[in-house]
Amino acid sequence: MLADVLHVPFADADDFHAPSNIAKMQAGIPLDDTDRAGWLAALNIYAHGMLEKGSVVIACSALKEKYRAQLRQGIPDPAVKWIHLQGDMALIHGRMAARSGHFMPPALLASQFAIYEPPSEGMVIDVADTPENILQTILLNMELLAEWGVVGLGVMGRNLARNLGRNGVSLSLYNRFVAGKEEKVAENAVAAFPELANAKAFESVTAFMASLARPRKILLMVNAGEAVDEVLSQLEPLLSPGDIVMDGGNSHYADTRRRQQQAESQGYHFLGVGVSGGESGALNGPAIMAGGAPEAWHQVAPFLEKIAAKDAGGSPCAARVGPDGAGHFVKMAHNGIEYAEMQLLAEAYSVLRRELGHPPDEVADIMANWTEDGLRSYLLEITIRILRRREGAGWLLDVISDKASHKGTGSWAVMAAGKLGVPLTMMTEALLARFVAAMRDERQAWSAAYAFTPDRLSVSIAQLKQAYQLARIINHQQGFLLIQSASKEYGWSVNMAELARIWTNGCIIRSELMIDAQHFFATTDDILRHETVVQWVRTCKPALQQTVSALGFSHRSYPCLMSALAALNAMTTANSAAHLIQAQRDFFGAHLYERTDDPGGKKYHTDWEDGGQEI
Ligand code: 6PG
C-alpha cells in the first residue's frame, strides 16, 4: 500500500534469500550473521540500483544495528527512511501461523526476538493497528499525505485543482480509468500544468484514499446525477468517520439532501457545494456556496476561501449558506437568474439589431455605454465581446445556430418554484424561450407558413435601456424570493446579504446590481420595498411600458421584457382579478373563498346554481 501511494516498486526481502538460507529456515534452523551477510549485500546492491532509477519500498527483517548498516552501505543518509514495525510476539506469531506457503516456520520467531536490537533512528510503528492506519501514520510522518483530494479531472475539476495547487494546497487527484476514453487523465493533468507538478495522480481509488490526510477532504467534480452516487459507492467503504466529501457539481438539491442523510448514517460529512464562474472562474476564482454541517464547513473553508474570488473589500466569495441542500439550491437559483439575465440580453440585442437595424458592432457600442451607466455585469461584458467577434468578412454570431440548449438547472429552478408556490415568471419565460429556440425545424416551417412582415418599431435606445434595467430588478427580486421561500420552508436561515455578497464576484451573475442587492439586504428582506428600488422602478416603468407596448407590434418574441412588466403590475396590484378565479373555483368545485368583508379568514361557499341574486 505504501509503495502504491508513493508510486514506487515494492520488494520483499524474503525473495532475496539464497536457496541454502531457505533450506536452513525450512529445517527450523535460525540463520546466523554469516548466513545473512550475503542476503543483506544482495539487498544493498538492489537498493542502489533502484535509487538510480527512483526509489523503492523494501520490507525486511533488519533485526540488528549492523544488519541495518549493511543494508544502507554507500547510500546517503537522507535517501533512507527507516520504518520499524514492532509488535507483540504472540500477535506476530499468530499472523505468521495464519499465512501459508512461506518457508519460515513460526517457531523461528523466538530466535529473531532474541537477537532483535530496537532501532535508534526512524519511525516506530505498532503493527497491532490496521494497515490503513499504519499507512496514514507513515505518510503523515514523512509529510507525504495530501491535504486535499479531487475526484474527476474534467475541465472544472482540473481548473479547481490548478487553483488549489497554485494556492499551495497539497493534492491527490483521482480520475477513473475507462479504456480508450479516460486513461491517465489525472497523470496527464499533473504533467501538463506546473501548478499540479507536486500533485499525486491516481487511477486506483484505494491508493488515492490512502494518500489523503485525515479527516480526508475530497472534492467531487463529476457529472451531476448517477455519477455522484457511483463515486460515493466506491469511496464509502474506504471513508473514515469525520471525512468530508464535497460535491462541487450542479447536483439537484434533493439529491444532496438524500446523500447527506446517507453520509450521516455512515459517519462521514457530505457538503453540497455550488461552484459558479465557469472554466475561468474555477481557475482564477469562483463563487462558492456550500450547504451542510457547520463543523464540516469550518474544516474545508480555509481551502475554499483561498481559491474563491474576492469581493470589493477583499473577502472571499465563499460561504456556507445553510444546512443540507441549501448550497445546491442557491446555485440552482443562481442559474435560474442567469437564464433570465441571458434571455434579457438576447432580447435587448434583438431589439437593437433586428427591430432598430443596428449591426452587431454598433449594438456592442450601445451596450458598452450601458456598462458605464450602472448596468455593468459579467454577462453584459461577454455579450459585448461576442458581438464584436468577427469571422472572415462577417460576424461569428451569425453562423451560430439559434438552437438553444440547457443542462437542467434552469428547469429545476422553475420546478422548485412550482413546488414552493413562488411567482417565478422571468426564469420560467427564459426557460420556455430556450425550449422554443430548440424547436428550430418547426420554427422554420411555421415562419414560412405565416411569413409575417416586420414593421419598424417606435422604441428608443434610452427606453430600451431603462426597460432592461427594470426587468433585471424584477428578475433578481424573483430569484431572491425563490431562495427566501425555500429557506423558510426548509428552515435554512439563508443570510441574503451574505449570499448577495458572495455573488458580487466570481459567479456568472456578478454585477453592479448584485453589489446594490447586498446593501439592500442589509436593511430589508424585501428589496422591492427598499426606497432606492422603489425610486428606480418608478423612474424606469414608463420606459418598460413603452418598450413592451412597441414590442407588441413586433413579430419577434420578447417574453422576458414582457413578463417583467406583467410581473411588476401583478405584484403592485393591491386588488387583483383573482377574486373571479376564486369564485369560479367555488362555482364548479365548491373550493370555498374568503371574503374581503370578513378579515378573519373564514371560508365561504355559495350555491351558485340556485339562481340567487343574479341580474
Ligand atoms: C456557472 C454556470 C454553470 C454552467 C451552467 C450552464 O454558474 O458557472 O451556471 O453552472 O455554465 O450550468 O447551464 P445550461 O447549460 O443549463 O445553460
Side-chain angles (χ1 to χ4, degrees):
M1 285 165 70
L2 177 61
D4 260 1
V5 172
L6 299 179
H7 289 291
V8 298
F10 170 75
D12 186 336
D14 282 347
D15 296 336
F16 287 71
H17 275 295
S20 54
N21 279 0
I22 294 175
K24 207 169 168 185
M25 283 186 270
Q26 268 166 338
I29 308 165
L31 302 180
D32 57 24
D33 288 358
T34 323
D35 299 325
R36 290 189 177 112
W39 171 62
L40 293 167
L43 281 163
N44 176 257
I45 291 167
Y46 172 72
H48 274 281
M50 294 311 287
L51 279 175
E52 268 168 32
K53 290 188 223 154
S55 190
V56 64
V57 173
I58 301 175
C60 177
S61 316
L63 301 168
K64 295 186 182 178
E65 203 56 56
K66 81 170 182 192
Y67 294 176
R68 298 191 278 267
Q70 278 170 281
L71 273 173
R72 70 177 316 161
Q73 207 166 20
I75 300 173
D77 267 1
V80 187
K81 299 259 181 275
W82 293 106
I83 302 160
H84 298 278
L85 301 175
Q86 286 185 345
D88 172 73
M89 178 139 73
L91 174 80
I92 299 176
H93 191 277
R95 288 183 183 173
M96 289 175 77
R99 70 185 182 182
S100 60
H102 198 280
F103 52 76
M104 182 174 160
L108 284 182
L109 185 64
S111 68
Q112 296 198 309
F113 266 83
I115 60 162
Y116 178 54
E117 293 166 9
S120 55
E121 58 169 333
M123 256 178 261
V124 177
I125 302 280
D126 181 359
V127 294
D129 212 342
T130 62
E132 287 77 15
N133 284 345
I134 290 176
L135 180 61
Q136 282 279 312
T137 312
I138 294 171
L139 294 173
L140 198 65
N141 244 292
M142 293 171 81
E143 296 180 350
L144 282 175
L145 287 178
E147 296 170 286
W148 192 276
V150 178
V151 174
L153 275 291
V155 67
M156 288 297 284
R158 195 168 62 219
N159 282 0
L160 284 170
R162 289 175 64 193
N163 192 344
L164 283 156
R166 207 182 266 174
N167 279 284
V169 178
S170 64
L171 292 167
S172 281
L173 310 175
Y174 167 77
N175 198 92
R176 65 181 178 178
F177 174 88
V178 183
K181 286 191 191 145
E182 291 176 51
E183 293 185 10
K184 296 188 175 177
V185 177
E187 204 180 311
N188 291 341
V190 169
F193 301 105
E195 305 98 320
L196 299 179
N198 295 322
K200 286 193 264 326
F202 298 92
E203 273 179 349
S204 143
V205 186
T206 324
F208 166 72
M209 293 296 275
S211 73
L212 294 168
R214 293 185 197 178
R216 297 183 180 91
K217 298 168 194 72
I218 302 168
L219 177 63
L220 309 187
M221 293 306 300
V222 300
N223 287 337
E226 281 171 15
V228 178
D229 291 313
E230 268 168 41
V231 172
L232 283 179
S233 69
Q234 289 173 339
L235 298 187
E236 272 172 3
L238 305 166
L239 286 166
S240 304
D243 284 351
I244 303 162
V245 178
M246 295 153 272
D247 174 11
N250 275 333
S251 287
H252 193 279
Y253 69 99
D255 287 337
T256 301
R257 302 185 96 192
R258 168 177 59 76
R259 288 170 189 142
Q260 269 165 352
Q261 280 162 10
Q262 185 179 317
E264 217 166 276
S265 71
Q266 303 209 18
Y268 69 95
H269 294 291
F270 187 85
L271 292 172
V273 184
V275 178
S276 177
E279 284 179 44
S280 115
L283 183 61
N284 302 309
I288 297 173
M289 50 227 92
E295 61 269 30
W297 167 250
H298 291 314
Q299 294 180 69
V300 297
F303 297 88
L304 294 175
E305 286 170 354
K306 267 187 210 176
I307 63 164
K310 305 295 177 285
D311 69 13
S315 298
C317 293
R320 172 185 172 270
V321 295
D324 59 61
H328 277 143
F329 190 97
V330 301
K331 176 65 204 325
M332 175 190 76
H334 165 285
N335 284 21
I337 297 171
E338 173 187 299
Y339 272 46
E341 290 293 289
M342 292 164 75
Q343 175 65 24
L344 280 171
L345 281 164
E347 291 179 21
Y349 150 77
S350 178
V351 173
L352 293 169
R353 184 172 187 192
R354 305 234 161 97
E355 312 293 356
L356 303 183
H358 295 283
D361 52 346
E362 284 181 27
V363 178
D365 292 343
I366 293 164
M367 289 186 166
N369 279 332
W370 294 2
T371 66
E372 302 305 317
D373 206 8
L375 286 175
R376 186 180 296 281
S377 75
Y378 169 74
L379 283 169
L380 180 58
E381 278 161 15
I382 65 164
T383 302
I384 294 165
R385 291 182 61 184
I386 291 166
L387 288 165
R388 291 197 169 130
R389 177 62 69 96
R390 290 192 159 271
E391 189 175 83
W395 307 97
L396 173 58
L397 188 57
D398 289 344
V399 292
I400 295 179
S401 163
D402 66 352
K403 210 169 174 176
S405 67
H406 72 117
K407 290 209 289 283
T409 44
S411 86
W412 294 347
V414 171
M415 286 189 269
K419 201 166 153 199
L420 292 162
V422 187
L424 215 59
T425 60
M426 303 279 289
M427 282 183 203
T428 308
E429 289 295 355
L431 175 72
L432 302 185
R434 287 206 198 179
F435 293 169
V436 182
M439 300 169 71
R440 183 172 166 82
D441 295 342
E442 292 85 342
R443 284 188 289 109
Q444 302 293 318
W446 292 325
S447 162
Y450 287 90
F452 292 128
T453 42
D455 298 315
R456 192 48 79 93
L457 299 183
S458 58
V459 60
S460 73
I461 294 172
Q463 283 167 345
L464 177 67
K465 184 191 142 224
Q466 285 195 323
Y468 169 68
Q469 187 177 348
L470 176 45
R472 291 189 62 221
I473 294 169
I474 305 296
N475 178 35
H476 281 70
Q477 186 267 341
Q478 292 187 345
F480 290 135
L481 198 58
L482 174 66
I483 294 162
Q484 288 170 313
S485 305
S487 175
K488 214 184 221 167
E489 175 74 16
Y490 302 121
W492 289 339
S493 308
V494 176
N495 178 336
M496 297 304 289
E498 176 65 352
L499 178 63
R501 184 193 69 73
I502 63 172
W503 281 353
T504 58
N505 202 3
C507 72
I508 302 293
I509 58 170
R510 60 189 187 260
S511 69
E512 271 183 79
L513 179 57
M514 195 60 77
I515 297 170
D516 295 327
Q518 177 194 346
H519 299 310
F520 298 154
F521 277 126
T523 58
T524 178
D525 281 342
D526 180 2
I527 55 169
L528 208 54
R529 283 196 294 150
H530 190 280
E531 57 181 20
T532 308
V533 177
V534 172
Q535 203 189 320
W536 284 348
V537 171
R538 292 181 69 86
T539 309
C540 294
K541 189 175 176 189
L544 179 62
Q545 287 175 304
Q546 272 159 2
T547 305
V548 167
S549 130
L551 293 178
F553 290 91
S554 169
H555 295 295
R556 299 184 186 90
S557 172
Y558 296 96
C560 270
L561 282 167
M562 290 182 169
S563 172
L565 182 59
L568 175 63
N569 283 343
M571 291 188 292
T572 53
T573 297
N575 295 302
S576 77
H579 56 173
L580 179 59
I581 310 244
Q582 285 299 81
Q584 290 163 335
R585 292 178 68 242
D586 191 56
F587 193 116
F588 61 70
H591 293 306
L592 311 182
Y593 56 85
E594 289 176 25
R595 292 182 62 106
T596 53
D597 54 5
D598 181 358
K602 189 176 156 205
K603 308 278 185 202
Y604 289 85
H605 171 62
T606 294
D607 182 358
W608 297 91
E609 301 286 9
D610 75 351
Q613 296 179 3
E614 282 177 27
I615 298 163

